[in-house]
Every structure is written in structure tokens, then in C-alpha cells.
């Protein structure tokens, strides 16, 4: 009908940013009348020629870069820094972390960062979960422990939502009595269900702000030191980055992060320091509206991205990660994760991506 207003969701589907997300997204095969058929971007020979590969540019060793891409040379900073002429405030630090450093932060992301009082996407359902990685390595099971009187009790969180106060604990699978009915989940399954954890000041996803009333520890000293060092190219002259919060994202094989803007911090002149670990992904960097055509680039394990100033207003997304036979870039991590104690982590990271993004809140 003439004069009708198009629904916002339908309009968003037609933006340049959304088209790029759909172009690069990994689609699962669709079954039609007993036959499997692929959608565009399904991983079967799709065109990735337009995706910027900074590692390939470095390997080529040529002084000439593609139009719109430049080098940002900074005295005393020994990593290669790339930038885009039309996206001021965005910096790409290629291969910022050694294989040894990458493995250290992968271990920390799975072992330490999900530890309470840090919150994860599992906290609302299970409450605080301690030593999740150790339980997964030992094939333990998380079971619900009833209150002594057998009554299910509940309380309310800060938003008035009802939450259960029954406790959970890890036990050996053999400890579950035959025929016993109890709520249980394998620790290995919980690791695979892990999608985010929050460090430092805790981010409230329902309100999209930082809740200073929640218990929290400060950002670990070694992560803080790394963030301060890597933030230097994007910092205003004479100022030092102050890490106050971090969000750790965990991506499974078919996970993606939709287009968004990180706008909850007070001072946008300070960068977000974003560390990539594990499987390679495609990162989309757009403009201040979804109508601007985004630039696609590969992010590999050990790369670091900085977004400050005008770049903080840019839409960005991760429509695709490359797992299994799709990627070879994490093979260097194998020698660092060759011990028996690291076998679970090595298996995990072959099919997962971890992103640590550190922020100065105030």
C-alpha cells in the first residue's frame, strides 16, 4: 500500500551492512526433499577476494599498499600497525602476540576469567561456577543439590527477577546413582556453552550499562599491562590507558556477532583494545550508519584491534569464524599446547575463537 511505513526490521535487512553480514555468514546446508543444498556463504568456494588480509600484505614485503590502507609508524612500538584512511581511530596490530603469549591468554580465558565473582552467561542459570575448566578436563558433571528440607527456594535479583537458590556442584559421573533423577550437565558441555564472561566492572547486559554494585575484582595486572602497552597507538598524547572492564567472548563453530556499536563507556577518545585468539574470523568495519558499505578483513590469532575516537561510532560485526579444515593459522599453537594437561584446550581452540576486549569505563 502506498504511504505505508516499512517495518524497521525489514528496512535493516536491506542495508549495506546487513548485506555484507549475509554475504560472509556461514550457513548450514538446507535440506530440500532429501537433498542438501547450500546457501551463499556456506563455505563452498565463496568469493573472499575482497577480504583484507594484513598478514598477506606483510608477507608480500612490498612497500606499496592497496588504496585506502596505510601504515602507522610509532617510535618505540615494535609491532606493525595498519589503518584505513576513511576510518580514523581504527588501528590493526598484526601478529601482536607470540604463539606463547596467545596460549597463555587462551588458558586464562578458559581457566581464570570465568571464575566468580566474574559473571558469565551461565551464571543466571547455575549461579557461581568454580573451576569449570578443571571439571571439564576431569569429565565431571554439574548436578543440582537440593536444600536440606527438600524445598525449592527462590530469591530475587536486583531487577526483581526470580532466581533459584539451590546449589550446584561438580561430581564424578559414577557418583550419580543408577535410576536417580537429578538435574545434571556435563562440564564439557558447559564449556562449549560458554559465550561470555565479564572482568573488572561488571557489565549488565539487560540494562546495557556497568553495574558498580556487583561484586568484582580489578582487571588482572598482566592483562592490564598488556592493554596499556597495546593501546598506545590510539591514545591521546601524554595519556595512559586505564583498563577498568573487559568482556571475553567465546565463539563456537557457527557463532557470529551481529552489527553493533560499543557506546557504553564515558570517554570515546579512549580505545577498546580487542585481542583475537584461536580460529580466524572475518571482521566487518562499517561507518556511522548501517547504510555505509563495511570493509571486511581477516582477524587471526594474536592480532589486536584498537577502536578510538570516530571509530567508536562505527558499526562492526563478526559474521564468520573459520574452524577445522578451513584454517591453518593456529597450527603454531599446537607445540605450545602439546602437554597432556593442555589436550582439552587444544581440542577446544581448534573449533573456537576467543575475543578479549578491554575498556576504560570512566
Amino acid at each position: 500500500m502506498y504511504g505505508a511505513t516499512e517495518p524497521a526490521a525489514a528496512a535493516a535487512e536491506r542495508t549495506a551492512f546487513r548485506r555484507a553480514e549475509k554475504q560472509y555468514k556461514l550457513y548450514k546446508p538446507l535440506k530440500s526433499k532429501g537433498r542438501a543444498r547450500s546457501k551463499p556463504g556456506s563455505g563452498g568456494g565463496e568469493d573472499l577476494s575482497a577480504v583484507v588480509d594484513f598478514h598477506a600484505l606483510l608477507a608480500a614485503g612490498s612497500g606499496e599498499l592497496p588504496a585506502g590502507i596505510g601504515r602507522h609508524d610509532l617510535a618505540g612500538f615494535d609491532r606493525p600497525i595498519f589503518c584505513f584512511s576513511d576510518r580514523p581511530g581504527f588501528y590493526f596490530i598484526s601478529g601482536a602476540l607470540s604463539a606463547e603469549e596467545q596460549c597463555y591468554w587462551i588458558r586464562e580465558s578458559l581457566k581464570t576469567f570465568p571464575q566468580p565473582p566474574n559473571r558469565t552467561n551461565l551464571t543466571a542459570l547455575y549461579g557461581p561456577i568454580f573451576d569449570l575448566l578443571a571439571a571439564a578436563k576431569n569429565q565431571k558433571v554439574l548436578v543440582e543439590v537440593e536444600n536440606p528440607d527438600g524445598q525449592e527456594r527462590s530469591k530475587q535479583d536486583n531487577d526483581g527477577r526470580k532466581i533459584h537458590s539451590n546449589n550446584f556442584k561438580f561430581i564424578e559421573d559414577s557418583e550419580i546413582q543408577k535410576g536417580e533423577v537429578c538435574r545434571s550437565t556435563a562440564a564439557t558441555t558447559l564449556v562449549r556453552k560458554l559465550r561470555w564472561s565479564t572482568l573488572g566492572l561488571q557489565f549488565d547486559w539487560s540494562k546495557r550499562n556497568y553495574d558498580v554494585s556487583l561484586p568484582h575484582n580489578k582487571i588482572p595486572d598482566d592483562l592490564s599491562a598488556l592493554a596499556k602497552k597495546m593501546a598506545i597507538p590510539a591514545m591521546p598524547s601524554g595519556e595512559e590507558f586505564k583498563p577498568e572492564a573487559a568482556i571475553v567472548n567465546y565463539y563456537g563453530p557457527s557463532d557470529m556477532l551481529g552489527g553493533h556499536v560499543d557506546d557504553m563507556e564515558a570517554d570515546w577518545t579512549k580505545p577498546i583494545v580487542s585481542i583475537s585468539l584461536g580460529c580466524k574470523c572475518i571482521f566487518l568495519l562499517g561507518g556511522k550508519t548501517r547504510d555505509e558499505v563495511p570493509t571486511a578483513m581477516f582477524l587471526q590469532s594474536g592480532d589486536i584491534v584498537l577502536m578510538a575516537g570516530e571509530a567508536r561510532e562505527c558499526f562492526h560485526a563478526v559474521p564468520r569464524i573459520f574452524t577445522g579444515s578451513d584454517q591453518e593459522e593456529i597450527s603454531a599453537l599446537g607445540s605450545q599446547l602439546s602437554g597432556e594437561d593442555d589436550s582439552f584446550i587444544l581440542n577446544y581452540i581448534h573449533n573456537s575463537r576467543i575475543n578479549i576486549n578491554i575498556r576504560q569505563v570512566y
Side-chain angles (χ1 to χ4, degrees):
M1 180 184 295
Y2 291 107
T5 302
E6 182 181 38
E13 286 295 308
R14 293 219 288 259
T15 64
F17 197 97
R18 183 58 181 152
R19 287 196 296 271
E21 287 181 300
K22 295 174 74 172
Q23 175 185 352
Y24 293 115
K25 181 181 177 181
L26 178 65
Y27 288 93
K28 296 180 180 179
L30 299 177
K31 292 184 178 180
S32 177
K33 295 182 179 180
R35 294 182 300 172
R37 58 188 178 90
S38 296
K39 293 181 68 175
S42 63
E46 71 270 28
D47 184 7
L48 301 177
S49 60
V51 183
V52 178
D53 188 337
F54 289 108
H55 286 258
L57 293 178
L58 276 177
S62 171
E64 187 173 345
L65 294 171
I69 298 177
R71 290 286 294 266
H72 180 74
D73 296 321
L74 187 65
F77 199 88
D78 58 356
R79 271 79 164 181
I81 309 169
F82 293 94
C83 54
F84 294 101
S85 59
D86 61 348
R87 293 291 181 264
F90 177 87
Y91 302 91
F92 188 108
I93 309 175
S94 182
L97 302 180
S98 67
E100 182 178 0
E101 290 171 317
Q102 293 170 51
C103 291
Y104 174 79
W105 291 115
I106 290 169
R107 290 188 190 98
E108 289 296 285
S109 296
L110 293 172
K111 178 182 178 181
T112 306
F113 295 165
Q115 288 279 81
N118 298 340
R119 296 162 70 238
T120 76
N121 59 297
L122 304 175
T123 304
L125 188 59
Y126 300 101
I129 299 178
F130 291 87
D131 302 322
L132 175 58
L133 179 62
K137 288 179 178 180
N138 293 304
Q139 301 292 311
K140 291 191 174 183
V141 177
L142 188 71
V143 298
E144 187 170 17
V145 180
E146 292 186 354
N147 290 307
D149 57 9
Q151 297 295 314
E152 186 180 82
R153 297 172 186 161
S154 64
K155 58 183 179 181
Q156 291 184 334
D157 63 11
N158 293 336
D159 296 322
R161 292 172 298 194
K162 183 178 177 182
I163 55 176
H164 296 298
S165 59
N166 285 3
N167 296 319
F168 289 82
K169 70 174 183 179
F170 286 114
I171 64 171
E172 301 289 344
D173 190 35
S174 59
E175 294 180 52
I176 300 178
Q177 300 297 321
K178 187 176 181 180
E180 181 181 1
V181 178
C182 65
R183 183 180 174 189
S184 63
T185 307
T188 52
T189 300
L190 293 174
V191 172
R192 288 295 177 185
K193 288 184 176 181
L194 194 61
R195 289 295 172 267
W196 55 263
S197 62
T198 49
L199 316 182
L201 293 174
Q202 296 292 290
F203 190 77
D204 187 328
W205 296 89
S206 63
K207 296 180 180 178
R208 294 196 74 247
N209 63 18
Y210 292 93
D211 188 343
V212 296
S213 69
L214 291 172
H216 63 275
N217 295 328
K218 69 174 186 175
I219 297 291
D221 289 342
D222 48 3
L223 182 61
S224 179
L226 175 64
K228 288 179 180 180
K229 178 180 179 181
M230 292 299 164
I232 291 174
M235 286 296 294
S237 178
E239 295 189 37
E240 183 180 65
F241 184 62
K242 299 176 182 178
E244 293 169 321
I247 299 174
V248 186
N249 295 311
Y250 305 84
Y251 294 79
S254 60
D255 289 340
M256 62 174 288
L257 180 66
H260 67 285
V261 174
D262 291 305
D263 57 0
M264 299 313 300
E265 291 73 38
D267 185 355
W268 291 1
T269 66
K270 306 304 188 296
I272 289 179
V273 180
S274 179
I275 304 170
S276 288
L277 301 166
C279 291
K280 180 174 70 175
C281 77
I282 291 178
F283 179 79
L284 295 178
L285 176 66
K288 296 181 182 180
T289 73
R290 295 180 189 268
D291 294 321
E292 296 186 52
V293 178
T295 298
M297 66 198 80
F298 290 119
L299 279 177
Q300 296 186 19
S301 191
D303 291 339
I304 290 179
V305 159
L306 308 176
M307 297 181 73
E310 289 188 40
R312 289 293 301 267
E313 302 177 64
C314 292
F315 281 90
H316 53 281
V318 176
R320 167 87 175 270
I321 75 166
F322 297 83
T323 61
S325 60
D326 286 337
Q327 51 82 37
E328 300 175 354
E329 289 76 13
I330 63 172
S331 58
L333 305 182
S335 60
Q336 298 288 333
L337 296 170
S338 58
E340 182 178 347
D341 193 50
D342 284 327
S343 60
F344 180 89
I345 295 177
L346 181 61
N347 179 65
Y348 174 90
I349 210 63
H350 268 293
N351 292 285
S352 306
R353 174 179 182 260
I354 298 173
N355 170 243
I356 309 171
N357 53 89
I358 307 107
R359 298 132 184 272
Q360 179 171 327
V361 177
Y362 300 112

